Amino acid sequence: MLTKRIIPCLDIKNGRTVKGVNFVELRDAGDPVELAKIYADNYADELVFLDISATEERRKTLAKLVEEIAKHINIPFTVGGGISSVEDVALLLKSGADKVSINSAAVKNPKLISEVAKRFGSQCVVVAIDAKQIEGNWKVHLVGGKQPTDIDLFEWAKEVQELGAGEILFTSMDHDGTKAGFANEALAKLSEELHIPIIASGGAGNVKHFEDTFKLGKADAALAASVFHFKEIEISDLKNELKSNGISIRI
Amino acid sequence: MKIAIIDYGAGNVKSIEFALQRLGFESELTSDANTIKAADRVIFPGVGEASSAMHMLQSTGLDRLIPSLKQPVLGICLGMQLMCNHCEEGDTKGLGIFDVNVVKFNTDLKVPQVGWNTIFNLKSDLFKTVEENSYMYLVHSYYVPIHKNSIATSDYGLDYSVALHKDNFYGVQFHPEKSGKIGEQVLENFIVNSNK
């Protein structure tokens, strides 16, 4: 039986893990490869690397890092952050990334999704959607959730599926950072209306939140950052508990 | 030991090279017919869409070369699907090594199937020391039905072939290079045991 996926997300700046990682076993707390390896060895199902650097050198630095990750990590990983052209995608896939995550650029230029899907296959296209509720309606936000748009979350999600997205990574800006649980109602609606997998993001605080997002939110995968980086939740404990609560999980 | 990874512009093939490196084997990414013919082991990767992948093989003559190879050949993911008679995706004629047609999942479950699923009914040395119900990483919308060449099964709404073997040809639907240590074991078995 296909299992639900647990996905730690690592923020990367200039080729280094952004501060806020609390692992005593790390020799170099800023080395994304070392941290990724620990997660892979502890049964993370996939990894997401989100590049937040803004330098002109970023593309080259990121491609080099992706190659290092691919050399050492034996599970799938997605790379995102500032991807805006087919060439950006080609460079990352060629360096060893399995998937890319496209966010704001997809809203500004939806054709990018179909171009990437056509050239490299839908399996490598994750469309990341940041949204929050405005007067009860879920609206897509850009630039890391800072810039609101008029676009309805569910309409947009359906459109990106039609354009060839292989998966959707939905982050609720209303839940992100709250540690109060995922946006399960919106997630369940996405899952019911779409046929591609949905990755839940934003709001993970405890093990029950993961259980809820799989059961109530019908999510196919759940992504989190700080609860893993600060060891508030150990992935092995999380997976054991989910499994004993009847969720299909790889241990 | 010379290992050739067939390079015909199909997505992320670096990962296979890196996985072999982790196992201590050097390999060469190549589209050169002589290099491929001279290799001790050939890996035939593939991600993306079937008909465009097939076009790329045809434009370089690899579609005729691959079925004629005598050394062990391992098709991975779309590579395995292209080794079959026909792929429903893009109504694509395959290489005809495995006498079976690849069809689309017709299920209420999400398509594509993305993630880790168990493999069972393991036969052949390809799975030496791999336990029944081990987890492998898969991404696919099309599947090979259970067939006389099946050497492993998975289930996604129905039981289907997740690995095939006939003569010197092997195929796996999962990504051994992305399936943790167990996936690496399958790759190692292919390199070490497939000629016995």
Side-chain angles (χ1 to χ4, degrees):
Chain A
M1 196 174 167
L2 182 68
T3 54
K4 303 286 190 184
R5 289 171 281 155
I6 301 294
I7 309 177
C9 177
L10 286 74
D11 283 351
I12 305 294
K13 196 171 181 182
N14 304 324
R16 306 276 292 166
T17 311
V18 175
K19 64 172 169 58
V21 176
N22 186 15
F23 274 82
V24 285
E25 60 266 57
L26 282 177
R27 278 173 293 125
D28 173 0
D31 180 5
V33 178
E34 213 185 327
L35 181 58
K37 215 164 167 319
I38 292 176
Y39 283 133
D41 290 344
N42 283 288
Y43 287 88
D45 295 301
E46 285 186 44
L47 298 167
V48 168
F49 297 87
L50 197 59
D51 185 43
I52 55 169
S53 44
T55 58
E56 283 186 21
E57 286 291 289
R58 62 185 301 275
R59 279 178 46 153
K60 255 201 276 175
T61 314
L62 184 60
K64 225 176 112 194
L65 174 64
V66 166
E67 187 163 331
E68 276 312 300
I69 296 164
K71 265 185 200 161
H72 294 98
I73 303 302
N74 56 15
I75 60 170
F77 67 94
T78 302
V79 180
I83 294 169
S84 60
S85 69
V86 174
E87 291 69 39
D88 287 348
V89 174
L91 178 66
L92 293 170
L93 295 181
K94 198 171 157 253
S95 305
D98 298 289
K99 313 177 195 183
V100 292
S101 133
I102 307 175
N103 195 333
S104 300
V107 176
K108 289 173 194 151
N109 172 24
K111 252 178 55 189
L112 179 63
I113 301 170
S114 48
E115 282 169 10
V116 173
K118 205 171 158 209
R119 179 143 163 217
F120 305 105
S122 289
Q123 85 292 332
C124 72
V125 189
V126 179
V127 173
I129 306 177
D130 299 335
K132 68 197 263 184
Q133 291 182 89
I134 296 175
E135 291 165 2
N137 297 311
W138 283 96
K139 296 291 181 189
V140 175
H141 282 58
L142 302 181
V143 206
K146 288 188 216 92
Q147 188 186 318
T149 72
D150 262 343
I151 303 166
D152 175 76
L153 162 67
F154 303 100
E155 295 296 318
W156 175 235
K158 272 181 238 169
E159 190 180 338
V160 305
Q161 171 178 278
E162 292 315 308
L163 287 165
E167 291 177 80
I168 287 174
L169 167 57
F170 164 51
T171 303
S172 163
M173 309 309 301
D174 292 334
H175 297 71
D176 201 27
T178 64
K179 296 195 175 181
F182 294 90
N184 293 324
E185 218 173 295
L187 281 159
K189 192 170 171 202
L190 282 173
S191 226
E192 278 155 15
E193 293 185 358
L194 276 76
H195 63 74
I196 57 175
I198 309 292
I199 305 164
S201 160
N206 60 40
V207 173
K208 181 77 166 58
H209 294 151
F210 286 88
E211 184 183 340
D212 287 347
T213 205
F214 292 136
K215 285 184 174 167
L216 308 174
K218 300 183 179 169
D220 299 283
L223 176 144
S226 61
V227 287
F228 296 140
H229 301 328
F230 290 107
K231 290 207 169 182
E232 288 160 28
I233 300 177
E234 293 273 3
I235 291 180
S236 51
D237 297 343
L238 168 65
K239 290 187 112 181
N240 281 322
E241 200 159 328
L242 289 173
K243 189 156 191 167
S244 64
N245 288 329
I247 289 168
S248 172
I249 276 287
R250 176 182 75 115
I251 292 180
Chain B
M1 173 75 70
K2 281 193 194 133
I3 305 169
I5 302 172
I6 300 179
D7 183 7
Y8 59 107
N12 174 8
V13 284
K14 264 259 169 74
S15 291
I16 300 171
E17 190 184 354
F18 290 148
L20 291 169
Q21 266 173 25
R22 290 195 292 272
L23 292 164
F25 300 108
E26 288 305 315
S27 58
E28 188 178 352
L29 278 170
T30 179
S31 55
D32 176 63
N34 289 327
T35 311
I36 295 169
K37 270 191 246 175
D40 301 299
R41 299 286 183 277
V42 175
I43 294 179
F44 175 36
V47 288
E49 196 271 331
S51 66
S52 27
M54 201 59 198
H55 279 293
M56 288 191 273
L57 290 175
Q58 284 161 346
S59 66
T60 48
L62 288 167
D63 61 321
R64 291 186 305 278
L65 175 71
I66 294 167
S68 75
L69 292 171
K70 299 289 178 252
Q71 66 276 59
V73 178
L74 176 66
I76 296 176
C77 195
L78 181 63
M80 177 190 92
Q81 297 191 353
L82 293 174
M83 288 159 90
C84 298
N85 276 342
H86 180 268
C87 302
E88 188 178 340
E89 186 178 29
D91 190 15
T92 306
K93 189 178 180 298
L95 300 176
I97 294 165
F98 299 114
D99 185 16
V100 60
N101 294 337
V102 186
V103 292
K104 188 158 191 181
F105 279 123
N106 181 7
T107 166
D108 293 338
L109 301 170
K110 299 274 182 83
V111 176
Q113 169 175 226
V114 180
W116 299 76
N117 202 338
T118 47
I119 62 167
F120 46 91
N121 295 337
L122 307 181
K123 298 165 202 162
S124 127
D125 280 350
L126 198 62
F127 298 109
K128 204 170 179 177
T129 76
V130 175
E131 285 178 30
E132 287 280 318
N133 297 309
S134 291
Y135 289 100
M136 296 291 179
Y137 184 79
L138 299 135
V139 186
H140 61 130
S141 300
Y142 297 80
Y143 71 95
V144 176
I146 298 293
H147 176 250
K148 64 175 189 231
N149 295 136
S150 302
I151 52 168
T153 305
S154 189
D155 78 299
Y156 196 62
L158 80 174
D159 281 6
Y160 68 95
S161 291
V162 80
L164 300 168
H165 175 213
K166 181 189 170 189
D167 306 325
N168 55 318
F169 293 99
Y170 296 81
V172 289
Q173 180 63 61
F174 55 84
H175 284 276
E177 77 281 15
K178 287 288 163 184
S179 297
K181 286 198 172 64
I182 302 170
E184 287 171 352
Q185 181 67 51
V186 172
L187 272 181
E188 186 170 1
N189 287 343
F190 169 70
I191 304 298
V192 176
N193 297 321
S194 59
N195 227 12
K196 288 176 185 165

